[in-house]
Amino acid sequence: MMRQNIVLKKNPKIEFQLLDTGFQLIDEQTEQNSGFYSYSDLKSIELNNIWFPRLANWLKIFTWIFNGVPFFPDAETCKKANVNIHFEKIKLGVWLTDSYMTNKAKKLKKLLDIKTNIKFNTNFGKVY
C-alpha cells in the first residue's frame, strides 16, 4: 500500500499519515492526540457534520427580514463539526473549524472506513 497524507489544517498542523499497519497523527492543536494508531485497534469513525454556517446564514436573513436586525448566534451554543475515532481503549476527537477541514475529514473517514471494513471482514475469512 502507498503511504497517504491528509492534512486537515496547516496551522496549527493536523495531519494524518496513513501507513500499512496504522496511521501517524500529528496534532499540534491537541498534542495528546499525536501518535501512532494501529488499524487493528480501530473500532469506528464518526464524522459529525457541520451545520452552523448554513444555519447562521439563514438566521441572519430571516431576522433581518422580520425585525431589521440580524441575529448572530455565538459559536458556543451551536454544534461544531468533529471527527471521533474510536479504538479499543481510547477515543480521539478532532474539531473541524471550516469547510476545507470538513471536506478533508470526509476523505479521511472514507479511507479509515475501508481499513475498518477490511479488518472486520478478514475476521470472517473474506476480504472485500
Side-chain angles (χ1 to χ4, degrees):
M1 180 182 144
M2 285 181 54
R3 177 181 170 152
Q4 188 170 4
N5 293 352
I6 297 177
V7 178
L8 293 183
K9 192 172 185 180
K10 292 183 180 177
N11 191 15
K13 186 176 190 176
I14 301 174
E15 179 179 358
F16 287 81
Q17 298 172 351
L18 305 178
L19 308 168
D20 289 338
T21 59
F23 65 87
Q24 181 73 32
L25 173 58
I26 301 166
D27 187 347
E28 293 176 353
Q29 183 172 298
T30 311
E31 291 191 14
Q32 66 263 24
N33 284 348
S34 294
F36 179 81
Y37 299 93
S38 174
Y39 296 133
S40 64
D41 293 335
L42 186 60
K43 291 296 180 193
S44 66
I45 305 100
E46 296 173 2
L47 176 60
N48 299 311
N49 289 321
I50 191 163
W51 57 267
F52 173 69
R54 281 181 263 146
L55 175 67
N57 287 337
W58 281 106
L59 285 173
K60 282 188 252 183
I61 292 167
F62 283 127
T63 57
W64 181 75
I65 290 170
F66 290 117
N67 56 0
V69 178
F71 171 70
F72 297 98
D74 64 339
E76 294 300 315
T77 60
C78 294
K79 180 179 177 182
K80 294 180 183 178
N82 64 359
V83 174
N84 290 316
I85 305 171
H86 299 271
F87 293 94
E88 293 277 341
K89 297 180 181 178
I90 61 167
K91 178 178 111 173
L92 294 178
V94 177
W95 291 105
L96 308 174
T97 57
D98 59 42
S99 59
Y100 173 82
M101 288 181 75
T102 303
N103 290 334
K104 290 291 191 174
K106 287 177 185 176
K107 181 178 179 181
L108 174 68
K109 181 183 179 343
K110 183 183 275 187
L111 291 170
L112 291 178
D113 279 343
I114 290 169
K115 291 290 186 186
T116 303
N117 288 333
I118 289 172
K119 181 189 75 170
F120 287 143
N121 290 329
T122 56
N123 290 338
F124 299 105
K126 298 178 183 176
V127 176
Y128 295 94

